[in-house]
């Protein structure tokens, strides 16, 4: 509960968990807030010094940090998984006769891989950042369109809400006049 915003109720609440209008508490709270505000970087004061979390003096600005390298490694794993999923979706959609979805998966997978590899190689330039963002957008585009397509293909997860399966139309051999598959309705009496 923040008593700082309750000055009008201070007298009514003075018996609960200490007095919110206690001057010692107010001064301590204000000193803590002032310290937090003073520690933030300010354009007039410049960036924080090296001893407050800046770049260490022995490390150049172009050298990678451990967190940066790990970010790149785990990003590579994520993008690789996204590209493999796009290629698998393309492989699944092509024999089903859905060539548009197959091409979508193939091209988005290629853009994800090429964009990430190129972006990682050129990460210090604007072109590299653009390639990384292109890779991200291609992956999200594929994911959104594939999900929308699969929503129309996959049956409802609740069995009670699934539409009944369509029974196949019986094929009739015209030459013999007999049913090849399924069942024909009984002939009408004469």
């Amino acid at each position: 509960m923040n008593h700082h915003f309750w000055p009008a109720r201070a007298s009514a609440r003075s018996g609960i968990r200490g007095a919110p209008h206690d001057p010692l508490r107010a001064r301590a709270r204000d000193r803590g807030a002032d310290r937090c505000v003073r520690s933030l970087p300010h354009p007039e004061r410049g960036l924080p010094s090296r001893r407050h979390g800046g770049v260490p003096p022995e490390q150049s600005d172009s050298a990678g940090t451990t967190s940066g390298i790990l970010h790149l490694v785990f990003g590579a794993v994520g993008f690789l998984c996204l590209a493999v999923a796009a290629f698998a979706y393309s492989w699944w959609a092509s024999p089903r006769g859905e060539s548009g979805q197959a091409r979508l998966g193939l091209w988005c997978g290629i853009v994800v891989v090429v964009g990430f590899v190129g972006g990682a190689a050129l990460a210090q330039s604007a072109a590299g950042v653009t390639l990384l963002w292109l890779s991200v957008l291609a992956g999200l585009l594929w994911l959104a369109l594939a999900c929308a397509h699969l929503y129309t293909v996959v049956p409802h997860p609740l069995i009670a809400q699934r539409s009944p399966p369509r029974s196949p139309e019986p094929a009739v051999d015209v030459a013999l006049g007999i049913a090849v598959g399924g069942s024909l309705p009984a002939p009408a009496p004469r």
Side-chain angles (χ1 to χ4, degrees):
M1 187 179 311
N2 191 350
H3 298 292
H4 180 70
F5 296 107
W6 293 20
R9 295 187 182 185
S11 60
R13 299 187 53 84
S14 62
I16 301 174
R17 284 195 267 164
H21 61 283
D22 182 13
L24 288 175
R25 285 177 133 185
R27 273 185 279 166
R29 184 179 55 242
D30 292 342
R31 276 194 304 255
D34 287 343
R35 283 187 193 131
C36 289
V37 170
R38 274 189 250 128
S39 69
L40 295 174
H42 193 272
E44 292 176 2
R45 291 193 302 257
L47 295 174
S49 66
R50 292 177 193 257
R51 65 185 176 96
H52 291 297
V55 177
E58 67 275 359
Q59 186 179 21
S60 70
D61 291 339
S62 64
T65 61
T66 304
S67 63
I69 292 171
L70 287 175
H71 180 88
L72 190 64
V73 167
F74 288 119
V77 170
F79 277 106
L80 181 65
C81 290
L82 186 65
V84 166
F87 293 140
Y89 175 77
S90 175
W91 177 74
W92 171 81
S94 62
R96 294 176 52 93
E98 298 166 348
S99 61
Q101 296 296 324
R103 281 193 308 264
L104 170 77
L106 182 66
W107 282 108
C108 285
I110 290 171
V111 170
V112 166
V113 169
V114 170
F116 180 78
V117 170
L122 304 171
Q124 297 293 324
S125 68
V129 173
T130 303
L131 284 172
L132 285 171
W133 273 108
L134 182 67
S135 179
V136 168
L137 293 177
L140 292 177
L141 173 73
W142 167 78
L143 190 59
L145 293 176
C147 286
H149 174 251
L150 289 174
Y151 183 78
T152 63
V153 175
V154 175
H156 198 281
L158 298 176
I159 295 173
Q161 294 185 3
R162 291 182 184 170
S163 58
R166 287 182 261 153
S167 60
E169 296 282 330
V172 177
D173 189 348
V174 179
L176 299 174
I178 58 170
V180 176
S183 60
L184 288 177
R190 291 187 183 200

